């Protein structure tokens, strides 16, 4: 695998367009239309089959032996924000007296180019984005159909006024949009054969996900063409490609995929989908209610990770689930539940059910005292030192008394040096301190929770 990655990365750095691996042949690369062998040794058949498993998976040899070709993509990380990507085709070929394999890896760019860098005519540039309808991009292999489609998708993602949900179905995925900035658009990419079985299944899947834009890699069979036309006629903007060179040839190729008795009806549907384009009005959004605002309030999670606006608040907006506790309205200035300490100081009456900021969902303790969970420690400095030193919970009360006794050992030695009665009084004081702290401590609770390391010992 390391040799494969090193060879492919070298090909990318040398502006190589294609790398070919074939059994009983050296590795051949294509650069600027010329072929060059880059290895002296010929590849063995087992080595090529191993490459198919590395690139695609363990079931690659069985699919090739069954007469199926494989189209997939391959990625090599080149850092935190860079990828080297390749479009790979695997096909079974004759290799002497054996059944061999040929692997063709084409280097592709990770991020598509901006639409302004393609030098498109102004009239063509204005006819690329619509509100709905079918857009067919045609041309021979290697003419730039995929690059143009990717540039259009990037333009939709970067446009701050294009509120589009985009779904793409490709075989394989060539360009990715991980590093393309987006504001009000989203995209989900799917690879045919990996995520979904076919283009037609992908289009049917997209109709259940409320997309605005659907990209289909290629309209190659009757089922896919029917699904694409139906999606375009139901109010979606659909992009697809065809390997043809002219408009008459494109229509002939698409219609010839259907039976002879149904071609006239399919041709009429195809022409209607191609002509049913609707340009988006500048600054208009048909999904916005009349007189309504386009912006939505910000999301503020509650104390338990719930949306604070999910329940009834100020103005009566929102809905509470059945059986849920009524939540108090939020203060507009602080964003906290109304009825807290600041409101009581200002003379604002308390709201039933309001919680004090920072208390969580704990009920108030009896007699107005604080709950044991919210009671602060009397020895914060010692607890902090214990966490840093031990990496665990702070000691309990008797354990902390013993720790303080050990800390006072130098003082005890000094007292012994002065006089024995003073030493006896100091020991009695330390023992009394430990007993008092132990009497104010629940030993059973400490044993059950495992917080006291002296009891555990």
């Amino acid at each position: 695998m390391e040799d494969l990655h090193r060879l492919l990365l070298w090909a990318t750095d040398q502006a190589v367009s294609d790398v070919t691996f074939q059994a009983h042949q050296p590795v051949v690369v294509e650069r600027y239309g010329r072929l060059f062998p880059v290895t002296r040794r010929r590849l063995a058949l087992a080595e090529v089959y191993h490459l198919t498993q590395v690139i695609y998976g363990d079931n690659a040899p069985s699919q090739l032996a069954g007469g199926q070709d494989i189209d997939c993509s391959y990625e090599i990380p080149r850092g935190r924000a860079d990828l080297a990507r390749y479009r790979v085709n695997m096909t079974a070929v004759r290799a002497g007296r054996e059944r061999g394999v040929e692997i063709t890896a084409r280097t592709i760019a990770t991020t598509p180019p901006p639409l302004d860098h393609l030098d498109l005519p102004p009239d063509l540039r204005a006819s690329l984005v619509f509100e709905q309808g079918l857009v067919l991009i045609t041309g021979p292999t290697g003419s730039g159909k995929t690059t143009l489609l990717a540039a259009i998708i990037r333009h939709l993602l970067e446009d701050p006024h294009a509120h589009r949900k985009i779904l793409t179905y490709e075989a394989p995925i060539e360009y990715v949009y991980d590093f393309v900035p987006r504001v009000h658009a989203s995209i989900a990419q799917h690879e045919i054969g990996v995520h979904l079985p076919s283009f037609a299944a992908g289009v049917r899947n997209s109709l259940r996900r409320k997309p605005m834009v659907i990209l289909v890699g290629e309209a190659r069979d009757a089922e896919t063409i029917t699904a694409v036309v139906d999606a375009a006629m139901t109010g979606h903007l659909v992009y697809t490609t065809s390997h043809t060179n002219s408009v008459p040839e494109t229509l002939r190729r698409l219609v010839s995929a259907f039976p002879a008795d149904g071609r006239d009806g399919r041709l009429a549907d195809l022409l209607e989908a191609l002509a049913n384009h609707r340009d988006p009005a500048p600054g208009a959004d048909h999904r916005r209610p009349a007189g309504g605002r386009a912006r939505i309030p910000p999301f503020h999670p509650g104390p338990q990770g719930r949306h604070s606006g999910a329940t009834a608040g100020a103005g009566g907006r929102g809905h509470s689930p059945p059986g849920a506790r009524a939540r108090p309205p939020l203060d507009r200035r602080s964003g906290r539940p109304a009825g807290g300490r600041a409101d009581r100081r200002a003379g604002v009456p308390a709201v039933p059910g309001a919680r004090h900021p920072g208390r969580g969902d704990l009920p108030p303790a009896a007699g107005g005292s604080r709950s044991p969970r919210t009671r602060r420690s009397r020895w914060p400095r010692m607890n902090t030192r214990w966490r840093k030193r031990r990496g665990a919970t702070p000691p309990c009360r008797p354990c902390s008394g013993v720790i303080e006794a050990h800390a006072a050992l130098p003082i005890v030695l000094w007292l012994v040096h002065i006089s024995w009665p003073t030493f006896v009084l100091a020991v009695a004081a330390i023992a009394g301190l430990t007993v008092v702290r132990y009497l104010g401590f629940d030993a059973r609770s400490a044993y059950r929770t495992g917080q006291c390391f002296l009891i555990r010992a």
Side-chain angles (χ1 to χ4, degrees), residues 116-134:
D116 298 334
H117 293 180
L118 299 183
D119 296 332
L120 298 177
D123 297 339
L124 179 60
R125 170 69 183 274
S127 304
L128 293 177
V129 179
F130 301 93
E131 190 68 25
Q132 66 181 25
L134 176 62

Side-chain angles (χ1 to χ4, degrees), residues 38-302:
V38 294
T39 60
R40 297 180 180 180
R41 186 176 64 87
R42 299 174 182 267
L43 297 177
L45 180 61
E47 294 176 333
V48 181
Y49 272 112
H50 178 67
L51 291 179
T52 61
Q53 293 177 328
V54 170
I55 296 175
Y56 185 73
D58 295 336
N59 58 339
S62 60
Q63 292 191 21
L64 295 172
Q68 302 179 10
D69 63 333
I70 298 176
D71 291 320
C72 63
S73 60
Y74 192 67
E75 298 180 354
I76 302 177
R78 303 192 69 175
R80 299 181 61 182
D82 191 13
L83 285 174
R85 306 191 71 253
Y86 307 89
R87 185 178 65 184
V88 182
N89 174 266
M90 307 178 190
T91 308
V93 298
R94 179 183 176 275
R97 297 181 180 181
E98 299 175 322
R99 187 182 183 92
V101 180
E102 183 187 70
I103 304 175
T104 303
R106 169 168 293 186
T107 59
I108 55 178
T110 302
T111 304
L115 196 59
D116 298 334
H117 293 180
L118 299 183
D119 296 332
L120 298 177
D123 297 339
L124 179 60
R125 170 69 183 274
S127 304
L128 293 177
V129 179
F130 301 93
E131 190 68 25
Q132 66 181 25
L134 176 62
V135 178
L136 273 169
I137 298 179
T138 65
T141 303
S143 60
K145 300 184 298 297
T146 304
T147 303
L148 178 58
L149 275 177
I152 295 174
I153 299 301
R154 175 173 179 173
H155 171 71
L156 292 176
L157 291 175
E158 294 179 338
D159 186 5
H161 303 289
H163 297 255
R164 309 271 186 150
K165 180 180 179 180
I166 306 172
L167 303 180
T168 69
Y169 302 92
E170 307 168 67
I173 295 176
E174 297 191 20
Y175 291 99
V176 295
Y177 307 91
D178 300 339
F179 310 113
V180 175
R182 64 199 73 172
V183 181
H184 297 295
S186 65
I187 185 171
Q189 295 182 269
H190 312 79
E191 183 168 338
I192 302 302
V194 178
H195 304 119
L196 291 167
S198 62
F199 286 113
V203 177
R204 290 193 297 268
N205 168 266
S206 67
L207 297 181
R208 294 188 289 268
R209 298 166 61 183
K210 191 61 172 60
M212 287 76 170
V213 180
I214 304 173
L215 187 147
V216 180
E218 183 181 357
R220 61 177 67 170
D221 55 4
E223 189 179 7
T224 303
I225 297 172
T226 301
V228 164
V229 172
D230 293 343
M233 295 180 63
T234 54
H236 301 86
L237 177 59
V238 183
Y239 291 96
T240 188
T241 65
S242 178
H243 292 276
T244 52
N245 296 324
S246 62
V247 175
E249 184 181 355
T250 301
L251 297 177
R252 191 182 307 111
R253 174 75 64 84
L254 296 178
V255 173
S256 62
F258 298 95
D261 55 349
R263 292 178 180 176
D264 294 340
R266 292 303 177 184
L267 178 60
D269 295 340
L270 182 61
L271 293 176
E272 182 179 357
L274 290 171
N276 189 23
H277 290 157
R278 188 175 68 182
D279 297 333
D285 189 359
H286 67 280
R287 294 178 294 272
R288 185 187 307 177
R293 297 188 304 173
R295 295 184 178 181
I296 61 175
F299 177 80
H300 298 291

Side-chain angles (χ1 to χ4, degrees), residues 5 21 43 66 127 217 317-318 342 424 439:
H5 288 184
F21 306 89
L43 297 177
S127 304
R317 292 174 295 188
V424 173
L439 292 177

Side-chain angles (χ1 to χ4, degrees), residues 308-352:
S308 299
T311 56
R317 292 174 295 188
H319 302 279
S320 300
R325 184 176 59 182
R327 299 178 65 122
L330 300 179
D331 182 45
R332 293 187 177 181
R333 179 172 299 178
S334 63
R336 298 178 176 179
R341 182 180 300 176
D343 293 338
R344 290 195 298 269
R345 290 176 180 176
V348 180
V351 179

Side-chain angles (χ1 to χ4, degrees), residues 310-398:
T311 56
R317 292 174 295 188
H319 302 279
S320 300
R325 184 176 59 182
R327 299 178 65 122
L330 300 179
D331 182 45
R332 293 187 177 181
R333 179 172 299 178
S334 63
R336 298 178 176 179
R341 182 180 300 176
D343 293 338
R344 290 195 298 269
R345 290 176 180 176
V348 180
V351 179
R355 296 190 301 270
H356 187 278
R359 294 281 182 88
D361 291 332
L362 297 175
S369 61
R370 291 183 296 177
S371 174
R373 295 185 180 181
T374 60
R375 183 183 297 134
R376 295 183 179 180
S377 174
R378 298 182 181 179
W379 308 280
R381 183 176 300 177
M382 186 189 66
N383 292 346
T384 304
R385 292 176 180 176
W386 183 264
R387 290 192 186 98
K388 292 181 179 179
R389 186 179 304 173
R390 298 287 183 176
T393 57
C396 58
R397 292 185 180 179

Side-chain angles (χ1 to χ4, degrees), residues 4-18:
L4 174 64
H5 288 184
R6 187 161 55 248
L7 176 60
L8 292 178
L9 293 177
W10 171 85
T12 302
D13 297 336
Q14 299 298 324
V16 172
S17 60
D18 297 272

